[in-house]
Structures are given as structure tokens and as C-alpha cells.
Amino acid sequence: METHTLEPGDLDAVHDLWDRAFGPSPGRDDAWALRAMGEDRFLGVRDGGRLIAVGHYHPFEQWWHGRAVPMGGVGGVCVAPEDRGRGVGRRLAAGLLELMDGRPLSALYPATAPVYRSVGYEHAGAQYRLTLPPAPLRTLAAGPVEVRRAGPADVGEVTALLRRLHAGARHHGPIDPGEDQVRRFLQDERLYSYLAADGFLAYGWDEGREHLAVRRCVAGSATTARALWAVVGSGSSIARTVRANVAPDDPMLWLLHDRSEDELRRVGWMLRVLDAPAAIAARGFPVAVSVDVPLLVEDELRPANAGGWRLTVREGRGRLERAAERRDATRLPARGLAALYAGVPMATLRGAGIVTGNAGADPLLDAAFAGTPFMLDYF
């Protein structure tokens, strides 16, 4: 078997694998795939010249405690049905790690967790999909907030606003959509986009006119949140339900007078630390937390991450510096480091047998990395 990046001539074979793995697609939009191939972000595995597995990554940035960290979002991973069970998936996943070299983090929505755990990914956060009756939204008074329709000419303003809001809220996990994704939102005729001085809303109809689907609603104040959600609620006389991608602690959930009938579905995603020192340096941390602890990392596929480290956190910044291996260090495999980075409590990681070694620093690590990661996008 050979693993290598793909070229435009491989596109029909890629679609054949995707159809067999995910079902036939109603239409082909190859522009993004061709772009990924041109940027060497598309990987394939061949057996005797036959393409048997494919995967690619998106060059995202991801917010961690209010700071944007470069991240590779892995997607479109599949193995030919007749070649499953041969270790092809792990080979492809390991190849994607190398392909993303230079990016501190990687994330993905797993079809099967064991394959990704075997190469150092671990469960980190989720996309939270809220379903609620529209009636409670009618109780949100818009207030004295100017809300206007947004279009393609607003791409720069919307992108800058979303970045400011995620940073100010010290969010964990959301993808920075960048101007390209924001432009697609604003150009999509199926979405209705609205802009306020400190908020943005994009929503549309789902499944005919029975459901309203909120793709993104982010606000920097309670008055703006009320105003934007009131726009959604204005269609409540027709829609049966409202479906929204939200943070698990979205302020809207506390603005509503009645939450007795809402339903929150969790779609989990996994995280992988590709460059440990760079990932720590790029991430934000609580300003009031001070940490100085020894770590011992085990990472077979990324040897530069392995060995003894000294983790320090001061004034909202973190550093990971090389140090001698110490017997009193917290011991982390690659997937344990990913889970810690995402804020999974140390007691949980020890209870699952993922983290071992000295537990004396656990409260400090919990305080430094605490958070509830979420994404608003699926890829």
C-alpha cells in the first residue's frame, strides 16, 4: 500500500468511495475538493494502483479560552467497503497527522472512535443541536437594538465581529469561520443573515416550512441576544420547531421564560495535539491561574511531543519547556494530552485509566484548562 496526496484526476475515484461509504450525493460541488488537492490537503491510500481510502483536512483556526489556534479539521475519511479491517483507516489517519505538520491541533467528528484513538485523538467537545418550540421566542422583546439585513458586502465586518465575540466570551472550541465561510453564509439564498453592532444571526427554513434552522446566533449583550432571537421568533406562527446550533451554556437558554420542552442533542468531536509546545503557547488560559508542574508525555506517532516537560501558566499565557523526566510527573499519553487540553477533568481521565502518575497537580491542571468546548459547525 502507498499513501500520497491526491490530484484532480483522482476526483471520480474519490466520489466513488464517498458514495459507497456515505451514500450517493445529490449534487457535486468539486471546487472545494479541487482547491484542497491543489493545496496538498487531500490524502489517499492505494493498493496496487487502486484507490482504497481517502481523507482531507480544512485549514481552520479554533478558539481556546478566547485565543485562536491553527487547527486541521479532518473530514471525508472513508475506506472502500471491501478493504475494511486491514488497518487501512489507521494508516490513513496517521498519514493525515503528517500532512498537517505545522498546525498545533487537529479535530474531527469521528465515524468510529477506536481508529482515531489509536493515533492520539480523544473525545473533547461537541456540537450542541437545540430543538425547542418557537412559542418561547415570542416572549423575547427586541428592545432598542438596531438590527439590519446583512449581505456579501458585510463579510469583513461580520468576520471581525465574530472574532471579537468569541475572544471576549473566552470560548472553547468554536471554529473561526474566516472570510470565505462567512461569505458563503452571506451569499446563500437559503439563509437570512442579520447584523447588529455586537451580534450576528444566520438562519433559514429546514424541511419545507415546518422548522426554522439557526446556523449561527452570537451576541455580545443580553439586549442584542434578545433582538436577534426575536427575529427568529417572528416566524413562530408558521414553524413547528426551531433547531439551533448553540453553545451548551448559551445565554439564550437563560433568557427564555420557559425551557420545559427544549431538547439538546450532543454530537461529539475529538481533538489531537500535533505540536505540544506550540499548542500550549497559542492557547488562552485564565488570568488568575498560576501553574508550574512536570509532565511526561507518551506519543509514538509524534516523537517531538514525547518525553519530559515543564508546564507553566502565568497571566493568561502558557509555556511547555523541555525538562528532565521526573518520577513525580503527571503521565499523559497523546490522547490524554488532547483531553486535558480540552478541559476534561483530571478525575475523569484518571477514572478512565488514561492519565497516571502523581495526582498532586490535578487541581491546578483542572483550573488552568477548565472549559466546555463546543463547535457551531459540522465538517
Side-chain angles (χ1 to χ4, degrees):
M1 287 188 287
E2 297 179 348
T3 304
H4 57 84
T5 55
L6 298 182
E7 299 179 352
D10 297 308
L11 202 52
D12 286 341
V14 169
H15 277 286
D16 177 71
L17 285 176
W18 282 346
D19 287 349
R20 293 172 188 270
F22 309 127
S25 175
R28 283 177 56 165
D29 179 7
D30 292 336
W32 68 269
L34 292 171
R35 180 178 176 182
M37 289 175 180
E39 296 174 355
D40 289 335
R41 294 188 283 107
F42 228 115
L43 198 66
V45 178
R46 294 187 189 278
D47 186 1
R50 181 172 57 95
L51 190 65
I52 63 172
V54 296
H56 64 275
Y57 77 90
H58 304 275
F60 292 134
E61 289 195 326
Q62 188 179 24
W63 292 97
W64 287 99
H65 200 79
R67 293 186 68 195
V69 182
M71 181 270 279
V74 173
V77 175
C78 64
V79 178
E82 65 271 26
D83 292 287
R84 294 170 187 165
R86 299 174 55 196
V88 180
R90 188 179 190 279
R91 183 187 184 101
L92 178 65
L96 285 165
L97 297 185
E98 293 189 22
L99 195 66
M100 292 181 286
D101 194 38
R103 308 192 77 81
L105 298 174
S106 175
L108 53 81
Y109 286 93
T112 173
V115 170
Y116 297 112
R117 275 180 163 160
S118 74
V119 296
Y121 287 87
E122 190 47 81
H123 292 293
Q127 182 192 48
Y128 293 88
R129 300 174 179 177
L130 175 70
T131 301
L132 73 162
L137 295 176
R138 289 203 299 266
T139 67
L140 298 177
V145 176
E146 181 181 350
V147 176
R148 66 174 178 84
R149 296 182 182 184
D154 299 303
V155 60
E157 183 178 351
V158 173
T159 303
L161 171 63
L162 290 173
R163 288 171 176 166
R164 189 167 71 249
L165 293 174
H166 287 312
R170 300 180 298 280
H171 280 155
H172 296 258
I175 294 169
D176 181 339
E179 288 198 356
D180 285 346
Q181 177 66 21
V182 171
R183 186 175 290 106
R184 282 194 287 271
F185 266 59
L186 298 175
Q187 291 176 338
D188 192 337
E189 296 180 353
R190 298 165 300 177
L191 290 178
Y192 310 112
S193 296
Y194 289 87
L195 183 63
D198 65 338
F200 175 71
L201 165 68
Y203 80 104
W205 292 97
D206 191 11
E207 298 180 18
R209 292 191 298 176
E210 292 189 1
H211 312 281
L212 286 170
V214 179
R215 294 286 302 279
R216 186 171 267 100
C217 186
V218 185
S221 65
T223 52
T224 298
R226 287 179 178 275
L228 294 178
W229 283 105
V231 172
V232 179
S234 68
S236 61
S237 60
I238 297 176
R240 289 175 49 201
T241 63
V242 173
R243 299 169 177 173
N245 298 339
V246 298
D249 52 1
D250 194 296
M252 182 270 287
L253 296 170
W254 279 262
L255 286 174
L256 294 177
H257 293 302
D258 183 11
R259 288 176 51 189
S260 59
E261 297 183 48
D262 64 10
E263 176 184 322
L264 199 60
R265 181 188 173 205
R266 186 181 185 279
V267 181
W269 49 268
M270 303 177 81
L271 187 73
R272 215 299 184 180
V273 176
L274 302 178
D275 183 334
I280 294 296
R283 189 190 197 278
F285 292 90
V287 174
V289 175
S290 181
V291 173
D292 189 339
V293 301
L295 301 178
L296 181 58
V297 178
E298 301 164 353
D299 194 339
E300 178 184 356
L301 294 180
R302 305 289 289 181
N305 289 342
W309 298 96
R310 179 191 178 196
L311 170 68
T312 57
V313 175
R314 290 188 181 89
E315 298 179 351
R317 300 280 178 158
R319 293 186 65 184
L320 199 60
E321 301 172 288
R322 274 294 175 194
E325 296 184 9
R326 289 173 46 172
R327 296 182 63 183
D328 63 341
T330 301
R331 300 178 66 94
L332 299 155
R335 65 191 189 101
L337 179 62
L340 171 64
Y341 194 95
V344 178
M346 290 296 291
T348 299
L349 297 178
R350 290 187 185 277
I354 298 174
V355 172
T356 58
N358 182 28
D362 286 6
L364 289 174
L365 294 172
D366 282 343
F369 291 94
T372 305
F374 68 96
M375 287 192 199
L376 299 174
D377 302 278
Y378 188 89
F379 54 86

